[in-house]
Amino acid sequence: METQSNQLKNYQALVIGATGGIGNGFVSILERDANCRNIFKLSRRDGFDLMDETSIKDAAETLKQQGPIDIIIDATGFLHDDVQHPEKAIRAIEPENMARAFALNATGPLLILKHFHGLLPFMERGVFATLSARVGSIEDNRLGGWYAYRMSKAALNMGLKTAAIEIARKRKLAICVALHPGTVETQLSDPFSSNRDRFTPEHSAEQMLNVLHGLAPTDNGSFFAYDGSVIPW
């Protein structure tokens, strides 16, 4: 990642998952950025459904009318709900839960990239970022557990890397990256963050936007933490 800022001027941004904790943080920061002329927002409240490719495709088709979007941020992600919780041991693995985690954390974001990468500028710098997680790093896995979440985020990382290579063949200045937001004060992390320092969603989003503004095309297909450090695959 380059040390100097590549801050865009008069740019358009899209936040997918805009009503989630981190997604809303991105929206708040972008709304205060004088350089961002338009912010487009998508979420489940708008009928955007990661489990329904038609809704993803339709949203992309609608936004094509707005011209190139310079920064596209996928702020979706699933860890737990009232039915599904992270597995502490291999005996807790359930096929249905694994399939759901992969659908929401890997297949869904890749479908976003499939239908939305064409909205990036063709001859100018454009950035697509998806929220991954450090626990999706195979090399960094020292604690074990959380099978569905770890494996689905690792699958997302591989999909992002693979798509980044393909997309750059036509869009030479496209930058597709995975981002780790840190531990953030959201419903996703609430049950697992006792006695741990956490970022506010806006602070995490601001740090990640700083990373995105500093990226160069040579960073395409990389995995960064919120502070700009590279995370091993």
Side-chain angles (χ1 to χ4, degrees):
M1 187 177 74
E2 293 186 348
T3 55
Q4 73 268 25
S5 172
N6 287 317
Q7 173 73 56
L8 295 167
K9 307 293 184 183
N10 197 35
Y11 69 92
Q12 299 199 112
L14 164 65
V15 179
I16 300 171
T19 57
I22 297 176
N24 188 59
F26 275 116
V27 171
S28 296
I29 298 299
L30 289 165
E31 286 178 340
R32 298 199 295 269
D33 184 356
N35 290 311
C36 183
R37 77 174 189 274
N38 279 322
I39 307 165
F40 306 107
K41 295 165 280 188
L42 291 172
S43 70
R44 284 178 294 181
R45 295 180 188 176
D46 310 307
F48 187 88
D49 186 354
L50 285 179
M51 306 282 277
D52 179 3
E53 184 176 6
T54 298
S55 78
I56 298 172
K57 180 180 179 181
D58 289 347
E61 288 293 328
T62 298
L63 283 173
K64 280 183 179 179
Q65 304 169 16
Q66 305 297 330
I69 299 178
D70 305 281
I71 298 179
I72 299 174
I73 300 169
D74 166 32
T76 64
F78 171 76
L79 174 58
H80 68 93
D81 59 14
D82 293 339
V83 176
Q84 186 170 338
H85 306 277
E87 309 90 348
K88 295 182 179 180
I90 196 169
R91 63 178 176 273
I93 289 177
E94 298 287 347
E96 296 81 3
N97 290 346
M98 292 287 287
R100 185 179 180 213
F102 271 77
L104 292 171
N105 288 332
T107 306
L110 262 293
L111 289 174
I112 290 174
L113 190 49
K114 171 184 175 180
H115 291 289
F116 279 83
H117 80 271
L119 277 64
L120 293 170
F122 188 69
M123 299 297 292
E124 298 178 357
R125 178 179 176 273
V127 177
F128 177 94
T130 188
L131 292 192
S132 185
R134 187 180 292 276
V135 297
S137 166
I138 295 174
E139 183 174 338
D140 194 60
N141 184 358
R142 295 175 176 83
L143 297 176
W146 290 31
Y147 285 87
Y149 191 64
R150 285 186 186 276
M151 293 171 65
S152 58
K153 289 296 187 179
L156 169 62
N157 291 346
M158 175 59 82
L160 182 283
K161 175 71 173 181
T162 304
I165 294 169
E166 177 183 349
I167 291 167
R169 290 177 183 144
K170 291 185 177 179
R171 283 176 163 76
K172 303 297 184 183
L173 299 181
I175 308 166
C176 299
V177 296
L179 293 176
H180 168 59
T183 304
V184 184
E185 296 173 355
T186 64
Q187 290 182 344
L188 183 146
S189 67
D190 280 345
F192 314 103
S193 304
S194 60
N195 301 319
R196 293 184 62 183
D197 292 333
R198 295 192 290 170
F199 298 135
T200 65
E202 283 197 20
H203 180 70
S204 174
E206 184 173 28
Q207 288 187 299
M208 288 188 285
L209 279 170
N210 287 338
V211 172
L212 297 184
H213 286 312
L215 297 178
T218 52
D219 296 309
N220 183 46
S222 297
F223 185 13
F224 292 104
Y226 57 89
D227 60 1
S229 60
V230 176
I231 299 177
W233 296 116

